[in-house]
Amino acid sequence: MSLAVVYSRAKVGVEAPLVNVEVHLSNGLPAFSIVGLPEASVRESRDRVRSALINAGFEFPAKRITVNLAPADLPKEGGRFDLAIAIGILAASDQVPTQLISGYEFYGELALSGALRKVLGILPAALAANKVKRQVIASAQNQHELALLENPENKVASQLLEVTAFLHGQHALETPQSMVEPMVTEQLDLQDVIGQPFAKRALEIAAAGGHNVLFVGPPGTGKTMLASRLPTILPQLTMEEALEVAAVHSTCGVSVSQQGWRIPPFRSPHHSSSSVALVGGGSNPRPGDISLAHRGVLFLDEMTEFERKVLDSLREPMESGNISISRAAGKVTFPANFQLVGALNPSPCGEVGEHSRSTPDQILKYLSKISGPFLDRFDLTIDVPRLPQGTMSDKTLGESSATVRERVNAAREIMQLRQQKPNAHLSGNSLSCYCILTDDDSQFLEMAIEKLHLSMRAYHRILKVARTIADLSGHEAVNRQHLSEALGYRAMDRLLSSLRN
């Protein structure tokens, strides 16, 4: 047999399009060419595959070898096709049987010795392969990610010889095993935060409705602690959501932990991060922090220290739930359905009111580093003041994350039954349908909006927050009590209004 076809998959964002590795041996001067839009790292497979086959004890065909990676218009990168090319050459030269090849997809970079090394993006590839009833053979270094699929038909190997022995029926490959991790003795809990009952209540509302929240307060008042505890009160990810998150992490080499992998992710980029680091990009587009925070929390500390254009680049993905990056070779779309938590000081000196050393003009200039449209994306803006005297000596523990999470889960179930999504994602007709107000309550809200000089987007966000408060309290209708509490979570609007007046 002089022609063999082996299956593998490319890595394009978080997608894994099928690649047919076609190997043809023909008479003529010995040559080895790879076609099908390979990048430099793929073209270098020629030398890795040749050395791996020879060092593994196989005969390298002294013929003209042509490897076609189809489709030809799809860019290919990395060493992920090494194993597929090697198996194709062995099959075309009748050194391995071909009966099992069509039922498997092959992934792995070859060392010169024939050892198999891990590749990036194995999880999206395995998910796509299993959907079409093909199994995966990959490096044992990728087994911790493959183990998440819980598919015993997927196989892992450490050497090329193990794969060829399996194809000969002489050796059984191992199934992927999950990583044995040490027990975590210290876990974050909402009880760690001393005082701040108002901010904790806002955090619970944000978790229940999926709302974006902004903490405003002096340094050291617990803003970062509150933000880091948000994932502990969010509902656990479903298996489908967890695999979706793990697939994004797999594409950029972020390890996926078997222990607690269904907890929503938490990302906290530094304020010096660029737009590319935050939203993704590059010549070969990679996911940014907003995609790594998919289905979880993105925390921006010291928001005024971020460049304004970097923050504004978040506005579109916050609305759409994904980010599209266009390059000459094509367009890549990454998921970015995250919950944003921000934190900032109320003034350049960190204080506000009688303790502030900043003038109103200086504070306005300081806060104007963040655009109005971006601030409008926050459903709740919370004042986090310094703790009153005597709070530190109070040994009374607040509610645990587990207790709060039970109420959050109950509210989410109400939303799921009513509209199949969290309240933060309500829009248009659905918002009007599920947030019906009486004439008196509607007039009350309009007067508050006028007084605080809020936009129509802010009006809708107040309605969504009020809907979440009603769900947490078990009320079917939104009333004035819920609207009043929702208006209380507009600290930034009140601060800016007082400065302008």
Side-chain angles (χ1 to χ4, degrees):
M1 181 179 182
S2 61
L3 177 65
V5 179
V6 180
Y7 299 112
S8 189
R9 290 181 184 271
K11 180 172 75 73
V12 181
V14 291
E15 297 178 354
L18 179 67
V19 172
N20 293 331
V21 181
E22 303 169 347
V23 180
H24 181 243
L25 307 183
S26 60
N27 296 326
L29 292 175
F32 191 173
S33 59
I34 299 178
V35 297
L37 210 59
E39 294 190 354
S41 56
V42 182
R43 290 195 296 270
E44 291 168 353
S45 294
R46 296 175 297 188
D47 300 313
R48 291 194 297 271
V49 170
R50 180 188 288 110
S51 296
L53 289 177
I54 293 173
N55 289 324
F58 293 102
E59 177 188 353
F60 190 78
K63 294 188 175 185
R64 184 176 184 84
I65 304 172
T66 303
V67 176
N68 178 38
L69 305 177
D73 59 345
L74 179 70
K76 289 86 176 179
E77 61 170 339
R80 62 194 298 112
F81 302 108
D82 287 6
L83 178 59
I85 292 172
I87 295 298
I89 291 174
L90 294 176
S93 58
D94 295 322
Q95 295 184 71
V96 296
T98 59
Q99 293 90 336
L100 298 179
I101 289 179
S102 61
Y104 285 90
E105 295 184 6
F106 298 84
Y107 303 91
E109 179 183 331
L110 284 172
L112 300 187
S113 63
L116 284 175
R117 293 178 175 147
K118 69 181 297 184
V119 298
L120 298 180
I122 188 64
L123 198 52
L127 282 167
N130 293 167
K131 282 182 180 178
V132 295
K133 307 301 182 184
R134 276 196 292 268
Q135 313 311 320
V136 166
I137 295 179
S139 167
Q141 296 177 5
N142 284 120
Q143 67 175 327
H144 307 310
E145 295 176 48
L146 287 175
L148 300 176
L149 299 179
E150 299 179 350
N151 185 347
E153 297 300 319
N154 293 329
K155 305 296 180 183
V156 294
S158 300
Q159 295 281 339
L160 173 62
L161 276 173
E162 294 179 16
V163 180
T164 56
F166 170 74
L167 295 176
H168 276 284
Q170 300 170 350
H171 175 74
L173 292 179
E174 296 181 357
T175 56
Q177 301 295 318
S178 60
M179 185 186 306
V180 178
E181 299 177 348
M183 291 296 293
V184 178
T185 56
E186 184 178 355
Q187 294 182 338
L188 300 179
D189 197 283
L190 200 58
Q191 282 184 333
D192 302 334
V193 183
I194 299 173
Q196 306 296 359
F198 185 71
K200 289 180 181 178
R201 167 66 174 170
L203 202 66
E204 179 181 341
I205 294 169
H211 303 288
N212 301 324
V213 58
L214 173 63
F215 293 116
V216 184
T221 54
K223 301 187 295 293
T224 302
M225 284 189 72
L226 285 162
S228 63
R229 270 65 180 174
L230 179 55
T232 69
I233 63 174
L234 286 172
Q236 268 199 340
L237 300 178
T238 64
M239 186 65 72
E240 183 180 351
E241 291 171 342
L243 285 173
E244 191 179 341
V245 171
V248 177
H249 289 200
S250 175
T251 59
C252 53
V254 178
S255 61
V256 181
S257 172
Q258 183 78 19
Q259 186 182 47
W261 73 298
R262 291 179 63 180
I263 295 175
F266 180 83
R267 301 289 298 185
S268 180
H270 192 260
H271 58 73
S272 62
S273 298
S274 64
S275 295
V276 172
L278 211 55
V279 304
S283 54
N284 292 317
R286 291 167 58 89
D289 277 302
I290 64 173
S291 295
L292 294 174
H294 180 58
R295 302 284 184 189
V297 178
L298 178 71
F299 176 50
L300 303 182
D301 199 6
E302 303 294 346
M303 268 183 25
T304 50
E305 301 301 321
F306 283 83
E307 290 187 28
R308 183 167 177 159
K309 65 178 182 180
V310 173
L311 293 179
D312 284 342
S313 68
L314 300 180
R315 285 158 52 183
E316 182 182 346
M318 285 171 69
E319 297 292 336
S320 63
N322 57 63
I323 179 70
S324 296
I325 300 169
S326 297
R327 294 290 181 267
K331 185 172 75 170
V332 176
T333 300
F334 295 111
N337 184 10
F338 59 92
Q339 191 169 348
L340 181 63
V341 180
L344 55 83
N345 297 328
S347 67
C349 68
E351 302 289 346
V352 71
E354 59 182 14
H355 300 291
S356 176
R357 301 187 303 275
S358 306
T359 65
D361 287 343
Q362 289 174 328
I363 297 175
L364 277 173
K365 183 178 179 181
Y366 173 76
L367 296 177
S368 66
K369 295 179 181 179
I370 306 172
S371 68
F374 182 72
L375 281 176
D376 259 354
R377 261 68 179 184
F378 288 98
D379 299 352
L380 305 97
T381 56
I382 312 303
D383 183 25
V384 187
R386 293 195 183 280
L387 294 175
Q389 189 174 3
T391 306
M392 299 298 293
S393 59
D394 186 1
K395 303 301 182 182
T396 305
L397 292 176
E399 290 184 312
S400 67
S401 291
T403 302
V404 177
R405 188 168 57 247
E406 288 179 6
R407 294 198 296 268
V408 169
N409 286 335
R412 282 287 181 101
E413 288 177 8
I414 293 172
M415 299 173 202
Q416 187 65 26
L417 289 172
R418 185 179 59 228
Q419 70 231 8
Q420 293 78 53
K421 56 186 174 183
N423 290 332
H425 300 154
L426 289 175
S427 60
N429 293 333
S430 58
L431 184 62
S432 303
C433 179
Y434 301 125
C435 300
I436 301 173
L437 302 179
T438 64
D439 292 340
D440 288 344
D441 289 345
S442 180
Q443 187 177 7
F444 164 77
L445 182 56
E446 288 178 9
M447 289 175 61
I449 293 294
E450 180 68 25
K451 187 175 181 179
L452 292 173
H453 305 288
L454 301 182
S455 66
M456 184 55 67
R457 181 186 285 116
Y459 171 82
H460 288 152
R461 293 189 183 280
I462 291 170
L463 278 180
K464 295 175 188 178
V465 173
R467 178 67 268 175
T468 301
I469 295 170
D471 290 335
L472 280 168
S473 60
H475 287 81
E476 291 187 11
V478 177
N479 58 40
R480 185 169 301 194
Q481 177 187 351
H482 307 136
L483 292 172
S484 298
E485 185 176 356
L487 284 166
Y489 301 121
R490 305 295 302 184
M492 182 60 73
D493 299 322
R494 292 193 297 273
L495 175 60
L496 293 174
S497 180
S498 65
L499 292 171
R500 294 188 181 107
N501 295 334

